[in-house]
Amino acid sequence: MFGFVEPLEGEADAKLPKASKTVLYILATLSSFGIFIGLNRLTGGGTGFPSIGYGEIRITDYLWGLALTLAGAALGAVFLAFEKLSHLLLGLVKNVVIRCAIGGLALGGIGTLLPLTMFSSEHQIEEILENGACLGVFTLLLIAVTKLFLTSVCISSGLKGGHFFPVIFSGIAAGSALSIIIGIDSGFCMAAVTAALLGSTIRKPVAVTLLLLILFPWQLAPVMLGAAALGAFFDIPGFFAEKSK
């Protein structure tokens, strides 16, 4: 469903496919998902991604939602700044081999100091979930910002890979840190911060919510949709927004 909605949402020149195609896409998605769930039940397998639960959420916790959304949107602006600057600086290096070598050296050097910033981050998310409290607020925030920096450098240098899961990892690390500071449910904090971060970068709240349902339970969908919508609502300075289009 993410793949179906993402190209259409928020694009002025996008057109919905014909009704027959829409029905076929939805039926194909639902049938594939149904077979996937059925096989998992038969074989005892999983999705391959960590499952992030949540505990007790009080009414007062929702008041923190705006602050968490602002934090996620701020991280989104940081990522777009890194993306813009790395694109400009690495664009000066015309030799592809040298440009990729710079990206590899940055990844290897920083990854040696902060191993959790390596790779695409699906497995590193599990480490945050299990040991976030032990890592501490400063380390979690440092990991979150560093991961955004490395992601932008790797993409701009030409190394293979995308930004979705690395950015999600940064949101989860930052959300874990903020849950320690505020003292409320970590799953709620992670969902709100991550949704706002993704919403501010790709500016497609529905697509963001569908994507995050891979990790978060459907009960948090309203929280994620609201945070992603607010994250997309905040204006990104033109210097950054130009690269994000």
Side-chain angles (χ1 to χ4, degrees):
M1 292 304 293
F2 167 77
F4 178 64
V5 171
E6 195 274 337
L8 302 175
E9 187 183 10
E11 299 291 344
D13 57 348
K15 295 181 180 179
L16 285 171
K18 294 180 180 179
S20 59
K21 287 186 177 180
T22 303
V23 172
L24 288 175
Y25 288 154
I26 293 175
L27 289 176
T29 301
L30 292 177
S31 61
S32 300
F33 187 70
I35 293 172
F36 174 74
I37 295 298
L39 290 175
N40 274 339
R41 289 184 178 275
L42 288 174
T43 62
T47 63
F49 301 104
S51 178
I52 302 176
Y54 68 100
E56 181 183 1
I57 300 177
R58 299 160 295 185
I59 297 298
T60 54
D61 293 345
Y62 289 98
L63 299 177
W64 286 104
L66 181 58
L68 295 170
T69 299
L70 289 172
L75 279 176
V78 169
F79 175 63
L80 293 176
F82 285 152
E83 190 179 38
K84 182 73 174 182
L85 292 173
S86 61
H87 180 75
L88 289 174
L89 293 176
L90 289 172
L92 299 175
V93 182
K94 302 303 180 183
N95 188 290
V96 176
V97 175
I98 295 176
R99 189 165 64 243
C100 289
I102 292 173
L105 287 172
L107 180 62
I110 296 176
T112 301
L113 300 175
L114 291 173
L116 286 180
T117 60
M118 298 286 285
F119 310 111
S120 58
S121 299
E122 291 91 337
H123 298 295
Q124 286 70 30
I125 289 175
E126 296 181 2
E127 185 72 22
I128 295 295
L129 297 178
E130 294 176 2
N131 302 310
C134 297
L135 291 172
V137 172
F138 175 78
T139 302
L140 287 169
L141 292 177
L142 178 62
I143 288 172
V145 175
T146 303
K147 185 66 174 181
L148 295 177
F149 170 74
L150 280 179
T151 300
S152 63
V153 169
C154 288
I155 292 175
S156 297
S157 64
L159 298 179
K160 298 296 184 181
H163 68 277
F164 282 122
F165 273 98
V167 170
I168 289 173
F169 170 81
S170 291
I172 289 173
S176 178
L178 291 174
S179 71
I180 297 173
I181 296 173
I182 300 172
I184 62 176
D185 182 71
S186 60
F188 175 84
C189 289
M190 293 177 189
V193 173
T194 306
L197 170 55
L198 273 178
S200 66
T201 54
I202 68 175
R203 311 183 78 77
K204 297 180 179 182
V206 175
V208 166
T209 304
L210 291 173
L211 177 62
L212 291 181
L213 285 176
I214 297 174
L215 299 169
F216 295 95
W218 65 267
Q219 291 90 340
L220 292 178
V223 174
M224 294 187 290
L225 182 60
L230 286 174
F233 176 79
F234 292 118
D235 289 331
I236 301 295
F239 178 73
F240 305 145
E242 181 183 348
K243 179 63 180 67
S244 66
K245 292 180 179 178

